[in-house]
Amino acid sequence: MIESKLILITLLVKLGVAAAFSSALARSRAFKNLLFTENRRPAQLLGLLAFICIPLCLGVWVRVVVPNFFAADISFETTIILGILLGPLSALAGGAILSIPAMLHHEYLSLPFNLAVAISAGLYGKFVEEEEVWSFSPFVDLSIYRWVRRNLRKPRFDRQVLLLILIVTMEIGRDWLARLYPHRLFALLTDKWPVRLAIWACAAMVVGIPLKIWNAIRTERFLEEQKRLLLEARLDALQRQINPHFLFNTLNSIASLVRFRPEQARELIVKLANILRALLKDHDSYVLLREELSFTDDYLGIEVARFGADKLRVVKEISANTLDLPVPSMLLQPLVENSIKHGLEPRISGGTITLRSRIEAGRMIIEVEDDGVGIGPGRSHSSGVLKGTGIGMKNVRERLEVLYGGAAQFDVTSRPGRGTKVTLAIPASQEPDDEPQPTLASARSNMRL
């Protein structure tokens, strides 16, 4: 028999060991990925068992070689956790590994006992829903209180209380075997019933503590995944919002040419078909800048034909080392459209749109500038949003916030009567080459489409 005082101290330390061990594992990204993977391959199961069993196997070894230090051995509770989380086969393997130090210390019943615990816990894990396992509470008194309260209102079979009963029953069985076969199976033995009750309650709490800690991580990962899906859905909605807006204005441009210049309208319809093909193509949220420029050229080709080459001029000042950097798809077209509609169209003589790109301090700077009418005194452009310019500009800003957060900048500067400049700054995904690059891929070249 072990002194009651030593047993109580051991139980307290045992709770600390369970909390410290499960918290340490929760800091490992590799462990979390293995634990929360739904369909694990055999190699992943072996890795997960190694994460859990190897340190606790050392704890069993410490218990058998260090006198009166029993708290490091939580192999019984660990086998239960393996059974309810990973299933009977994995629990059998884990229970066998955890019994090795005890077997070497002539505790020969440890192996068959661990295997029996593994089968019992594994069958329980197969029988209940996953959420019922993760919601098991280490606070035994609260579990019993909730069980009594629920069943007084509406009697039903409670699987969480079943797990509590299963843990206590197996702990009682271990106590009985350890008394029947001394030195063949380890157990904390005492004749005092309050201490026995504490041992049984402690076993349930040692099982519940890792489940609670890991379930908190599981919930956090679930919320992060939901947030990611929400952002993707929002980005998809923003992308879909751009396309009808763009198509509506483009069709208006073509409609103005159908009656008076049908051949040119036919050419523009072909261009529009190319644009639609690009829009309907299944692509990621990002494209290379050269692809984005090509898409924008198709749009500008339609607008130049509508306005006339003498009234709408396009200048490109594109740095060569930015052409192969990724940018959000459909980034430039709404800005160019805004410059045409609100900057150049109100101006009788038309004007020039200038597209620029360069690398500065690890960021790609993109500018869309026009020499149109600018923003009048009554039109606010604070915070980079032009009020009254439609959804295009606001959409670009929202998409930058979704994709880059605070790492992106969106700025609008305007001089009434002299034009407006929209400046975007986004992280460059690759460093610019060390060798000097030509500053302009196409310097001050007018577009004639």
Side-chain angles (χ1 to χ4, degrees), residues 94-110:
I97 294 172
L98 292 171
S99 68
I100 292 175
M103 292 283 291
L104 295 177
H105 194 63
H106 309 298
E107 296 176 357
Y108 298 120
L109 287 179
S110 60

Side-chain angles (χ1 to χ4, degrees), residues 21-37 40 44 47-48 51 214 217-218 220-221 224:
F21 174 71
S22 52
S23 299
L25 286 182
R27 295 190 184 98
S28 169
R29 180 177 297 180
F31 171 78
K32 289 186 287 188
N33 291 337
L34 291 173
L35 181 61
F36 301 123
T37 299
R40 303 181 189 89
Q44 292 175 316
L48 188 56
F51 264 110
W214 296 342
I217 303 298
R218 172 175 169 265
E220 182 180 350
R221 286 168 65 97
E224 289 176 354

Side-chain angles (χ1 to χ4, degrees), residues 201-275:
C202 181
M205 296 182 73
V206 171
V207 171
I209 286 173
L211 292 177
K212 281 298 179 185
I213 292 175
W214 296 342
N215 187 45
I217 303 298
R218 172 175 169 265
T219 303
E220 182 180 350
R221 286 168 65 97
F222 175 78
L223 293 176
E224 289 176 354
E225 178 67 13
Q226 294 302 308
K227 181 179 179 181
R228 183 187 67 81
L229 293 175
L230 179 61
L231 289 177
E232 288 184 357
R234 181 185 172 195
L235 182 61
D236 183 65
L238 290 172
Q239 184 71 43
R240 292 177 185 275
Q241 191 180 34
I242 285 179
N243 297 345
H245 182 239
F246 159 68
L247 291 175
F248 176 78
N249 290 284
T250 303
L251 289 173
N252 277 342
S253 300
I254 295 175
S256 65
L257 300 172
V258 169
R259 179 174 299 179
F260 303 104
R261 288 179 281 177
E263 288 299 322
Q264 190 174 11
R266 178 180 177 278
E267 293 177 3
L268 296 185
I269 290 174
V270 173
K271 287 182 177 292
L272 179 59
N274 294 332
I275 294 175

Side-chain angles (χ1 to χ4, degrees), residues 96-166:
I97 294 172
L98 292 171
S99 68
I100 292 175
M103 292 283 291
L104 295 177
H105 194 63
H106 309 298
E107 296 176 357
Y108 298 120
L109 287 179
S110 60
L111 176 59
F113 179 76
N114 281 1
L115 297 182
V117 170
I119 294 173
S120 302
L123 292 177
Y124 172 86
K126 294 289 185 181
F127 176 67
V128 301
E129 297 292 336
E130 182 182 16
E131 291 300 325
E132 291 180 307
V133 172
W134 284 113
S135 60
F136 178 73
S137 174
F139 303 102
V140 180
D141 57 334
L142 296 181
S143 297
I144 296 175
Y145 170 74
R146 285 199 303 266
W147 177 76
V148 172
R149 185 176 176 181
R150 282 196 302 262
N151 282 273
L152 283 177
R153 271 193 244 157
K154 186 178 179 181
R156 66 185 183 91
F157 184 72
D158 195 318
R159 294 183 179 89
Q160 288 194 352
V161 173
L162 176 62
L163 178 58
L164 175 63
I165 296 173
L166 181 63

Side-chain angles (χ1 to χ4, degrees), residues 68-82:
N68 296 329
F69 191 76
F70 308 121
D73 186 350
I74 57 173
S75 57
F76 166 68
E77 295 86 352
T78 303
T79 304
I80 296 175
I81 293 174
L82 292 175

